[in-house]
Amino acid sequence: TLAAKKTGGRLSVTVADTGAGIPEGDISRVFDRLYRVDPARTFDGGGTGLGLAIVKSITQLHGGEVHIASSLGQGTAVTLLL
């Protein structure tokens, strides 16, 4: 799900899914380059661990912030504030 709204002169863009979610202990690391929540997954079956690191870098270059909220079994929401 993609949602956008303007609040107080800032644009908030949220991308959310209803997937497996991210364990609480991993949330602080998901923006680290090459970090993957499940290290047992091979590159053939999943991502490289670069996507969220790139999102954070580009967002910060534009003076923005990135926030993430996740619940196991319910999904994840990544919000960009620009």
Side-chain angles (χ1 to χ4, degrees), residues 31 33 48-61:
F31 294 107
R33 284 181 296 148
T48 60
L50 291 173
L52 288 174
I54 293 169
V55 167
K56 182 177 180 181
S57 292
I58 292 171
T59 301
Q60 288 178 334
L61 283 172

Side-chain angles (χ1 to χ4, degrees), residues 35-72:
Y35 184 78
R36 296 187 304 165
V37 172
D38 184 357
R41 292 175 65 182
T42 65
F43 285 106
D44 293 340
T48 60
L50 291 173
L52 288 174
I54 293 169
V55 167
K56 182 177 180 181
S57 292
I58 292 171
T59 301
Q60 288 178 334
L61 283 172
H62 289 280
E65 303 170 21
V66 180
H67 301 278
I68 192 164
S70 187
S71 296
L72 283 177

